[in-house]
Amino acid sequence: SYVLTQPPSVSVAPGQTARITCGGNNIGSKSVHWYQQKPGQAPVLVVYDDSDRPSGIPERFSGSNSGNTATLTISRVEAGDEADYYCQVWDSSSDPGVFGGGTKLTVL
Amino acid sequence: QVQLVESGGGVVQPGGSLRLSCAASGFTFSSYGMHWVRQAPGKGLEWVAFIRYDGSNKYYADSVKGRFTISRDNSKNTLYLQMNSLRAEDTAVYYCAKDGSGYVPLYYMDVWGKGTTVTVSS
């Protein structure tokens, strides 16, 4: 089955830019989606189809995808962005719905 | 507003069964595919199952294939997950989620419920 690899943690100071990566074999050929999950809450979609934002998601959240790496970029990081972030793809295999292991974003 | 409310969680013994429900409102339920996603305590998200808007196609994670069945009743705006032969490793919060696109699924989840907790323990 397809595997997505995320760094366990990323730390950034307020106002700086956070970049969270999601690695997978030729992931650039797939659509990548990103979710934010705060403690005790359900996940929230923040980026879909590599780089589109749902309504209500700040422009500070952006995404890119090429080659073997997709990236979620959060500009001008705020304390409220501290959360776990998950990437997700759909793979045409026997185990199609795939999430990355998640990245804990810490705002210093 | 779009809302998903899960129910049916609880404590069950290994080998037992449980049926989860997800009541949908605020959108045309019969036009959208639906997902179940779970999260074990302290762990990441795990996709469980998907059903097309009309129930014509269903997909499952290998970890639940043959034990879990996803279904829907469009007349009741309700999604189900029948879970049989439950194991300790099925212990998790189970979320239902709406697919981001109607009729032709895009296989991402744009609306999530708050989840229901399933504990498998003797």
Side-chain angles (χ1 to χ4, degrees):
Chain A
S1 58
Y2 193 76
V3 176
L4 294 175
T5 301
Q6 298 182 236
S9 62
V10 168
S11 298
V12 63
Q16 299 304 303
T17 298
R19 294 179 179 85
I20 299 172
T21 59
C22 177
N25 185 34
N26 197 27
I27 196 174
S29 66
K30 302 182 183 300
S31 291
V32 180
H33 320 294
W34 292 90
Y35 304 87
Q36 175 194 69
Q37 186 180 34
K38 296 181 179 179
Q41 298 184 19
V44 172
L45 179 71
V46 293
V47 167
Y48 66 97
D49 288 349
D50 296 340
S51 59
D52 291 333
R53 273 187 320 276
S55 60
I57 300 301
E59 291 183 8
R60 301 185 297 105
F61 288 82
S62 62
S64 62
N65 184 19
S66 179
N68 293 317
T69 305
T71 303
L72 173 69
T73 301
I74 309 172
S75 304
R76 302 180 299 283
V77 166
E78 303 173 356
D81 298 330
E82 191 163 278
D84 293 326
Y85 291 85
Y86 296 89
C87 57
Q88 179 250 322
V89 300
W90 187 263
D91 182 62
S92 55
S93 68
S94 64
D95 206 357
V98 185
F99 282 96
T103 298
K104 180 176 181 59
L105 176 67
T106 299
V107 181
L108 300 172
Chain B
Q1 74 282 21
V2 177
Q3 192 171 13
L4 298 170
V5 179
E6 303 92 339
S7 60
V11 180
V12 60
Q13 292 188 338
S17 298
L18 211 55
R19 188 177 85 155
L20 306 184
S21 299
C22 171
S25 60
F27 66 103
T28 306
F29 178 73
S30 59
S31 297
Y32 287 86
M34 297 292 295
H35 301 262
W36 286 101
V37 177
R38 69 184 180 182
Q39 186 169 35
K43 303 297 184 182
L45 301 174
E46 180 186 15
W47 174 82
V48 173
F50 171 81
I51 185 169
R52 283 180 65 99
Y53 70 98
D54 58 357
S56 60
N57 285 90
K58 305 173 185 180
Y59 303 101
Y60 297 94
D62 286 346
S63 59
V64 307
K65 203 171 295 182
R67 301 187 299 121
F68 290 12
T69 301
I70 189 172
S71 63
R72 63 190 299 158
D73 186 338
N74 286 344
S75 68
K76 296 182 178 179
N77 289 344
T78 303
L79 175 73
Y80 302 102
L81 186 68
Q82 178 66 44
M83 304 186 295
N84 298 331
S85 303
L86 283 161
R87 307 166 179 167
E89 54 264 36
D90 296 318
T91 294
V93 175
Y94 285 73
Y95 298 99
C96 72
K98 170 183 163 290
D99 193 80
S101 174
Y103 296 121
V104 179
L106 294 180
Y107 303 112
Y108 64 86
M109 304 98 191
D110 68 343
V111 179
W112 296 63
K114 293 187 185 304
T116 187
T117 300
V118 172
T119 302
V120 184
S121 174
S122 55

